[in-house]
Amino acid sequence: LVPVETLNRNVSDMLGGMLAADPSERPSASCVCMSPYFTTPPWEGAFSEAFSLAERRLHAFHNFMHNIRTSKNWLSPLEIRVRRVNVTDYILQNWQADWVLRKTTVYFEHQFDQELMSDLGRPYEPRVGSQVAEMFRIFWMQIVEYDGLWEIDPKTKCVHIAPAGDNYTELDKIFGTLEVVGGMLAKCMLEGYTCPIKFAPAVFKYLLDLSDTINLRDMQACPIDYEEMRELKVLAACPNYATVARNVGSGLAGLTFDNLLDLSSQTQETVKVTDDSKLQYIIARVQEHQIVQRQGGLEAMRSGFGVIPETVLKYMVPQTVLTGDDLMIALQGYGAVSANDLISRLRFTGFVPADV
């Protein structure tokens, strides 16, 4: 639930023992329950300074956003009159970049036309305004259903931009839609609303121009071939790739940098993966899967979101540099798993009373 790097050494060691490949090395249930993670008060011993720093960054960011919302430095107000069923179509057709910095008032029109409302003897005037939260909710609910935009992992439910296909005639329309999505994310943040779409970690990092920090863990949140992920995990954990690669059955024999890096200026020959270059190979594979295949869509989305890093974060005092995880929490809140939900997914087999 919490990134391992935010946990202290005791908790990291406990998790490492629980996930040991050899069952005999795993701690018993009673030993786990006696861990400081469960026996110390909240926030004492469980988390490291990294978690505290993240809290401070988010606290500073939310305070700054609150000051923006209560300031008078907004552009002219934005008034939207639309039917609920047409919210997304209306936004996509009428979007302007300056919408991000304009406070919004929303009036939902009746779903029936004026003539029918007149026959019913009811007024046709729009309903009361200030339905901004509802507008955002409807927009995100409708946009995630758009075909051709997203790739959704069936297990994690993380939403990533779909890889570019062969239908190049639709790319301009897709990129235009993703630019609006990026702008709506920025508008959500500035106006104090959350986004219910669970975007993949790589999306948040790319929006902040932190694509070089995208790693193998981020890759697991997206649809990927099982054998491909297994190969990368084995390679990452392999202490001596050169020895293992000699075994054809390992699946690691003959790995090369073909189609991953432009090495034409250095050599015309096939560059093979070695012990010294295996980390570079993993990074290249992650970048290929998470960035290169979706570059156009990610760039369009960041273009719409650009007002946040370019206009807002630049003027934060004290200067606060958000991470991808910070942005995810700022837009979606902290993730939470109930005890009942966790217990329903636990399965214990092969235990004897002495293990408990």
Side-chain angles (χ1 to χ4, degrees), residues 144 148-153 156-163 178 197-204 206 214 218-219 221-223 286-287 289-295 297-298 301:
V144 79
L149 283 183
W150 314 112
E151 184 179 52
I152 304 177
D153 187 88
T156 65
K157 307 302 180 184
C158 283
V159 178
H160 205 333
I161 294 172
L178 290 172
I197 297 180
K198 185 181 178 182
F199 285 110
V203 174
F204 294 110
Y206 196 90
I214 296 174
D218 300 330
M219 195 174 177
C222 304
V286 171
Q287 291 286 320
H289 185 272
Q290 294 289 284
I291 302 295
V292 177
Q293 296 178 11
R294 318 159 200 269
Q295 185 87 48
L298 285 168
M301 196 167 173

Side-chain angles (χ1 to χ4, degrees), residues 35-225:
S35 166
Y37 183 82
F38 300 105
T39 58
T40 56
W43 316 113
E44 292 183 17
F47 297 100
S48 69
E49 183 67 14
F51 189 87
S52 178
L53 291 175
E55 284 287 290
R56 294 174 196 170
R57 289 196 302 269
L58 286 169
H59 182 71
F61 176 74
H62 284 301
N63 281 344
F64 187 76
M65 285 298 191
H66 175 75
N67 292 333
I68 291 178
R69 285 192 287 274
T70 57
S71 72
K72 298 181 180 179
N73 297 324
W74 290 76
L75 301 180
S76 58
L78 173 65
E79 184 178 292
I80 295 178
R81 295 171 178 260
V82 65
R83 296 181 181 180
R84 290 174 181 268
V85 295
N86 297 331
V87 165
T88 302
D89 291 338
Y90 176 89
I91 292 175
L92 293 178
Q93 293 171 10
N94 297 279
W95 176 263
Q96 300 292 330
D98 66 354
W99 277 24
V100 176
L101 298 175
R102 296 170 63 184
K103 286 188 176 180
T104 310
T105 302
V106 178
Y107 297 90
F108 284 125
E109 297 177 346
H110 292 287
Q111 59 179 327
F112 305 114
D113 57 33
Q114 188 169 0
E115 182 179 355
L116 180 56
M117 294 300 294
S118 178
D119 292 341
L120 295 174
R122 299 181 61 185
Y124 185 66
E125 286 300 312
R127 300 176 183 177
V128 177
S130 300
Q131 304 290 320
V132 182
E134 181 68 2
M135 178 202 69
F136 279 122
R137 187 192 69 81
I138 295 174
F139 175 80
W140 297 122
M141 179 183 67
Q142 293 176 347
I143 199 68
V144 79
E145 300 294 335
Y146 270 47
D147 292 334
L149 283 183
W150 314 112
E151 184 179 52
I152 304 177
D153 187 88
K155 294 183 178 179
T156 65
K157 307 302 180 184
C158 283
V159 178
H160 205 333
I161 294 172
D166 298 329
N167 190 4
Y168 295 102
T169 59
E170 294 292 324
L171 284 183
D172 288 343
K173 180 180 178 181
I174 291 174
F175 291 165
T177 300
L178 290 172
E179 185 174 351
V180 175
V181 171
M184 288 294 282
L185 281 175
K187 191 168 180 62
C188 266
M189 294 184 69
L190 285 176
E191 298 207 26
Y193 297 98
T194 58
C195 171
I197 297 180
K198 185 181 178 182
F199 285 110
V203 174
F204 294 110
K205 291 183 178 181
Y206 196 90
L207 291 178
L208 293 176
D209 198 18
L210 299 173
S211 56
D212 58 328
T213 64
I214 296 174
N215 53 41
L216 192 59
R217 188 185 71 181
D218 300 330
M219 195 174 177
Q220 295 180 78
C222 304
I224 183 172
D225 179 70

